[in-house]
Coordinates of all heavy atoms in Angstrom, one line a residue:
L1 N 12.9 -1.2 -6.0 CA 11.9 -1.2 -5.0 C 12.5 -1.3 -3.6 O 11.7 -1.2 -2.6 CB 11.0 -2.4 -5.3 CG 10.2 -2.4 -6.6 CD1 9.3 -3.7 -6.7 CD2 9.3 -1.2 -6.8
K2 N 13.7 -1.6 -3.5 CA 14.4 -1.8 -2.2 C 14.3 -0.5 -1.4 O 14.6 0.6 -1.9 CB 15.8 -2.3 -2.3 CG 15.9 -3.7 -2.8 CD 17.3 -4.2 -2.8 CE 17.3 -5.7 -3.3 NZ 18.7 -6.2 -3.4
N3 N 14.0 -0.6 -0.1 CA 14.0 0.6 0.8 C 12.9 1.6 0.5 O 12.8 2.7 1.0 CB 15.3 1.3 0.9 CG 16.5 0.4 1.3 OD1 16.3 -0.4 2.2 ND2 17.6 0.6 0.6
K4 N 11.9 1.2 -0.3 CA 10.8 2.0 -0.7 C 9.5 1.3 -0.2 O 9.4 0.1 -0.1 CB 10.7 2.3 -2.2 CG 11.9 3.1 -2.7 CD 11.7 3.4 -4.2 CE 12.9 4.3 -4.6 NZ 12.8 4.6 -6.1
P5 N 8.5 2.1 0.1 CA 7.2 1.5 0.5 C 6.5 0.8 -0.7 O 6.2 1.4 -1.7 CB 6.4 2.7 1.0 CG 7.0 3.9 0.3 CD 8.4 3.6 0.1
V6 N 6.3 -0.5 -0.5 CA 5.7 -1.3 -1.5 C 4.5 -2.1 -1.0 O 4.6 -2.6 0.1 CB 6.7 -2.3 -2.1 CG1 6.1 -3.1 -3.3 CG2 7.9 -1.5 -2.7
V7 N 3.4 -2.1 -1.7 CA 2.2 -2.9 -1.3 C 1.8 -3.8 -2.5 O 1.7 -3.4 -3.6 CB 1.0 -2.0 -0.9 CG1 -0.2 -2.9 -0.7 CG2 1.4 -1.2 0.3
V8 N 1.6 -5.1 -2.2 CA 1.1 -6.0 -3.2 C -0.4 -6.2 -3.0 O -0.8 -6.5 -1.8 CB 1.8 -7.4 -3.2 CG1 1.2 -8.4 -4.2 CG2 3.3 -7.2 -3.5
L9 N -1.2 -6.1 -4.0 CA -2.7 -6.2 -3.9 C -3.1 -7.6 -4.2 O -2.5 -8.3 -4.9 CB -3.3 -5.2 -4.8 CG -3.0 -3.7 -4.6 CD1 -3.7 -2.8 -5.6 CD2 -3.4 -3.2 -3.2
S10 N -4.3 -7.9 -3.7 CA -4.9 -9.2 -4.0 C -5.5 -9.3 -5.4 O -5.3 -8.4 -6.2 CB -6.0 -9.5 -3.0 OG -7.1 -8.5 -3.1
N11 N -6.1 -10.4 -5.7 CA -6.8 -10.6 -6.9 C -7.7 -9.4 -7.3 O -8.4 -8.9 -6.4 CB -7.6 -11.9 -6.9 CG -6.8 -13.1 -7.0 OD1 -5.7 -13.1 -7.5 ND2 -7.3 -14.2 -6.5
N12 N -7.6 -9.0 -8.5 CA -8.5 -7.9 -9.0 C -8.1 -6.6 -8.4 O -8.9 -5.7 -8.3 CB -10.0 -8.2 -8.7 CG -10.9 -7.7 -9.8 OD1 -10.6 -7.8 -11.0 ND2 -12.0 -7.2 -9.4
D13 N -6.8 -6.5 -7.9 CA -6.3 -5.3 -7.2 C -7.3 -4.8 -6.1 O -7.6 -3.6 -6.0 CB -6.1 -4.2 -8.3 CG -5.0 -4.5 -9.2 OD1 -4.2 -5.4 -8.9 OD2 -4.9 -3.9 -10.3
G14 N -7.7 -5.8 -5.3 CA -8.7 -5.4 -4.3 C -8.2 -4.8 -3.0 O -8.5 -3.7 -2.6
C15 N -7.3 -5.6 -2.3 CA -6.8 -5.2 -1.0 C -5.4 -5.6 -0.8 O -4.8 -6.4 -1.5 CB -7.7 -5.7 0.1 SG -7.8 -7.5 0.2
A16 N -4.7 -5.0 0.3 CA -3.3 -5.3 0.5 C -3.1 -6.7 1.1 O -3.7 -7.1 2.1 CB -2.8 -4.3 1.5
V17 N -2.3 -7.5 0.4 CA -2.0 -8.8 0.9 C -0.5 -9.0 1.3 O -0.1 -10.0 1.9 CB -2.3 -9.9 -0.1 CG1 -3.8 -10.0 -0.3 CG2 -1.6 -9.7 -1.5
A18 N 0.3 -8.0 1.0 CA 1.7 -8.0 1.4 C 2.2 -6.5 1.5 O 1.8 -5.7 0.6 CB 2.6 -8.8 0.5
R19 N 3.0 -6.2 2.5 CA 3.5 -4.8 2.7 C 4.9 -4.8 3.1 O 5.4 -5.7 3.8 CB 2.7 -4.1 3.8 CG 1.2 -4.1 3.6 CD 0.5 -4.0 4.9 NE 0.7 -5.1 5.8 CZ 0.7 -5.1 7.2 NH1 0.3 -4.0 7.8 NH2 1.0 -6.2 7.8
S20 N 5.7 -3.9 2.5 CA 7.1 -3.8 2.9 C 7.0 -3.1 4.3 O 6.0 -2.5 4.7 CB 7.8 -2.9 1.9 OG 7.4 -1.6 1.9
E21 N 8.2 -3.2 5.0 CA 8.3 -2.6 6.3 C 8.0 -1.1 6.2 O 7.4 -0.4 7.1 CB 9.6 -2.8 7.0 CG 9.9 -4.3 7.3 CD 8.9 -4.9 8.2 OE1 8.4 -4.2 9.2 OE2 8.5 -6.1 8.1
E22 N 8.4 -0.5 5.1 CA 8.2 1.0 4.9 C 6.8 1.3 4.8 O 6.3 2.3 5.3 CB 9.0 1.4 3.7 CG 10.5 1.3 3.8 CD 11.0 -0.1 3.5 OE1 10.2 -1.0 3.1 OE2 12.3 -0.3 3.6
A23 N 6.0 0.4 4.1 CA 4.6 0.6 3.9 C 3.8 0.4 5.2 O 2.9 1.1 5.5 CB 4.0 -0.3 2.8
K24 N 4.3 -0.5 6.0 CA 3.7 -0.8 7.3 C 3.8 0.5 8.2 O 2.9 0.9 8.9 CB 4.3 -2.0 8.0 CG 4.0 -3.3 7.3 CD 4.8 -4.4 8.0 CE 4.6 -5.8 7.3 NZ 5.4 -6.9 7.9
A25 N 5.0 1.1 8.2 CA 5.3 2.3 9.0 C 4.4 3.5 8.6 O 4.2 4.3 9.4 CB 6.8 2.7 8.8
L26 N 4.0 3.5 7.3 CA 3.1 4.6 6.9 C 1.7 4.3 7.3 O 0.8 5.2 7.0 CB 3.2 4.7 5.4 CG 4.6 5.3 4.8 CD1 4.6 5.2 3.3 CD2 4.8 6.7 5.3
G27 N 1.3 3.2 7.8 CA 0.0 2.9 8.3 C -0.9 2.0 7.4 O -2.1 1.9 7.7
V28 N -0.3 1.4 6.3 CA -1.1 0.5 5.5 C -1.3 -0.8 6.3 O -0.4 -1.4 6.7 CB -0.4 0.2 4.2 CG1 -1.3 -0.7 3.3 CG2 -0.1 1.5 3.4
K29 N -2.6 -1.2 6.4 CA -3.0 -2.3 7.2 C -3.1 -3.6 6.3 O -3.5 -3.4 5.1 CB -4.2 -2.1 8.0 CG -4.2 -1.0 9.0 CD -5.5 -0.8 9.7 CE -5.4 0.3 10.8 NZ -5.1 1.6 10.2
M30 N -2.9 -4.7 6.8 CA -3.1 -6.0 6.1 C -4.6 -6.1 5.8 O -5.4 -6.0 6.7 CB -2.6 -7.1 6.9 CG -2.5 -8.5 6.2 SD -1.3 -8.4 4.8 CE -1.3 -10.1 4.3
G31 N -4.9 -6.4 4.5 CA -6.3 -6.6 4.1 C -7.0 -5.4 3.9 O -8.2 -5.4 3.5
E32 N -6.4 -4.2 4.0 CA -7.1 -2.9 3.8 C -7.4 -2.8 2.3 O -6.5 -2.9 1.4 CB -6.2 -1.8 4.2 CG -6.9 -0.4 4.2 CD -6.1 0.7 4.8 OE1 -4.9 0.4 5.2 OE2 -6.6 1.9 4.9
P33 N -8.7 -2.4 1.9 CA -9.0 -2.2 0.5 C -8.2 -1.1 -0.1 O -7.9 -0.1 0.5 CB -10.5 -1.9 0.6 CG -11.0 -2.4 1.9 CD -9.8 -2.3 2.8
W34 N -7.9 -1.3 -1.4 CA -7.1 -0.3 -2.1 C -7.7 1.1 -2.1 O -7.0 2.1 -1.9 CB -6.9 -0.8 -3.5 CG -6.4 0.2 -4.5 CD1 -7.0 0.5 -5.7 CD2 -5.2 1.0 -4.4 NE1 -6.3 1.5 -6.4 CE2 -5.2 1.8 -5.6 CE3 -4.2 1.2 -3.5 CZ2 -4.2 2.8 -5.8 CZ3 -3.2 2.2 -3.7 CH2 -3.2 2.9 -4.9
F35 N -9.0 1.1 -2.3 CA -9.7 2.4 -2.4 C -9.6 3.2 -1.1 O -9.6 4.4 -1.1 CB -11.1 2.3 -2.8 CG -12.1 1.7 -1.8 CD1 -12.7 2.5 -0.8 CD2 -12.3 0.3 -1.7 CE1 -13.5 2.0 0.1 CE2 -13.2 -0.2 -0.8 CZ -13.8 0.6 0.2
Q36 N -9.4 2.5 0.1 CA -9.3 3.2 1.3 C -7.9 3.8 1.6 O -7.8 4.8 2.3 CB -9.6 2.2 2.5 CG -11.1 1.8 2.5 CD -11.4 1.0 3.8 OE1 -10.6 0.7 4.6 NE2 -12.7 0.6 3.9
F37 N -6.8 3.2 1.1 CA -5.5 3.8 1.3 C -4.9 4.4 0.0 O -3.7 4.7 -0.1 CB -4.6 2.8 1.9 CG -4.1 1.7 1.1 CD1 -2.9 1.8 0.3 CD2 -4.8 0.5 1.1 CE1 -2.5 0.7 -0.5 CE2 -4.4 -0.6 0.3 CZ -3.2 -0.5 -0.5
K38 N -5.8 4.6 -1.0 CA -5.3 5.2 -2.3 C -4.7 6.6 -2.1 O -3.6 6.9 -2.7 CB -6.4 5.2 -3.3 CG -6.0 5.6 -4.7 CD -7.1 5.5 -5.7 CE -6.7 5.9 -7.1 NZ -7.8 5.8 -8.1
R39 N -5.4 7.4 -1.3 CA -4.8 8.8 -1.1 C -3.5 8.7 -0.3 O -2.6 9.5 -0.6 CB -5.9 9.6 -0.3 CG -7.1 10.0 -1.2 CD -8.0 10.9 -0.4 NE -9.2 11.3 -1.2 CZ -10.2 12.1 -0.7 NH1 -10.1 12.6 0.5 NH2 -11.2 12.4 -1.5
L40 N -3.4 7.8 0.6 CA -2.2 7.7 1.4 C -1.1 7.2 0.5 O 0.1 7.7 0.6 CB -2.4 6.6 2.5 CG -1.2 6.4 3.4 CD1 -0.9 7.6 4.3 CD2 -1.4 5.1 4.3
A41 N -1.4 6.3 -0.5 CA -0.4 5.9 -1.4 C 0.1 7.0 -2.3 O 1.3 7.1 -2.6 CB -0.9 4.7 -2.2
E42 N -0.8 7.8 -2.8 CA -0.4 9.0 -3.6 C 0.4 10.0 -2.9 O 1.3 10.6 -3.4 CB -1.7 9.6 -4.2 CG -2.5 8.7 -5.2 CD -3.8 9.3 -5.6 OE1 -4.3 10.2 -4.9 OE2 -4.4 8.7 -6.5
K43 N 0.1 10.2 -1.6 CA 0.8 11.2 -0.8 C 2.2 10.8 -0.5 O 3.1 11.6 -0.5 CB 0.0 11.4 0.5 CG 0.7 12.4 1.5 CD -0.2 12.6 2.7 CE 0.5 13.6 3.7 NZ -0.3 13.7 4.9
H44 N 2.4 9.5 -0.2 CA 3.7 9.0 0.2 C 4.5 8.2 -0.9 O 5.5 7.6 -0.6 CB 3.6 8.2 1.5 CG 3.1 9.0 2.6 ND1 4.0 9.8 3.4 CD2 1.9 9.0 3.2 CE1 3.3 10.4 4.4 NE2 2.0 9.9 4.3
N45 N 3.9 8.3 -2.1 CA 4.6 7.5 -3.3 C 4.7 6.0 -3.0 O 5.8 5.5 -3.2 CB 5.9 8.2 -3.6 CG 5.8 9.6 -4.1 OD1 4.9 9.9 -4.9 ND2 6.7 10.5 -3.6
I46 N 3.7 5.5 -2.4 CA 3.7 4.0 -2.2 C 3.6 3.3 -3.5 O 2.7 3.6 -4.3 CB 2.6 3.6 -1.2 CG1 2.8 4.2 0.1 CG2 2.5 2.1 -1.1 CD1 1.6 4.0 1.1
I47 N 4.5 2.4 -3.8 CA 4.5 1.6 -5.1 C 3.5 0.4 -5.0 O 3.6 -0.4 -4.0 CB 5.9 1.1 -5.4 CG1 6.8 2.3 -5.5 CG2 5.9 0.3 -6.7 CD1 8.3 2.0 -5.6
I48 N 2.6 0.3 -5.9 CA 1.5 -0.7 -5.9 C 1.9 -1.7 -6.9 O 2.2 -1.5 -8.1 CB 0.2 -0.1 -6.2 CG1 -0.2 1.0 -5.1 CG2 -0.9 -1.1 -6.2 CD1 -0.2 0.5 -3.7

């Protein structure tokens, strides 16, 4: 997982509660619901 975009989701896989620097650079916001950045994750191979 090192040097790759990684996002940790909250309870029930709801929203982003932690982001790697790589994921932040791609535009994933803290607290953003998973369904809102799902396409972004698929496009840039963000690891969930």
Side-chain angles (χ1 to χ4, degrees):
L1 300 180
K2 291 182 178 180
N3 301 319
K4 294 183 178 179
V6 181
V7 174
V8 176
L9 299 177
S10 63
N11 287 333
N12 217 38
D13 292 345
C15 59
V17 292
R19 305 156 296 157
S20 68
E21 295 300 324
E22 295 82 3
K24 293 176 185 178
L26 292 172
V28 180
K29 299 179 178 63
M30 190 65 170
E32 187 175 3
W34 163 235
F35 71 88
Q36 289 187 0
F37 70 92
K38 186 175 181 179
R39 289 185 178 179
L40 180 71
E42 293 171 348
K43 180 179 178 181
H44 296 283
N45 296 317
I46 297 175
I47 300 167
I48 302 300

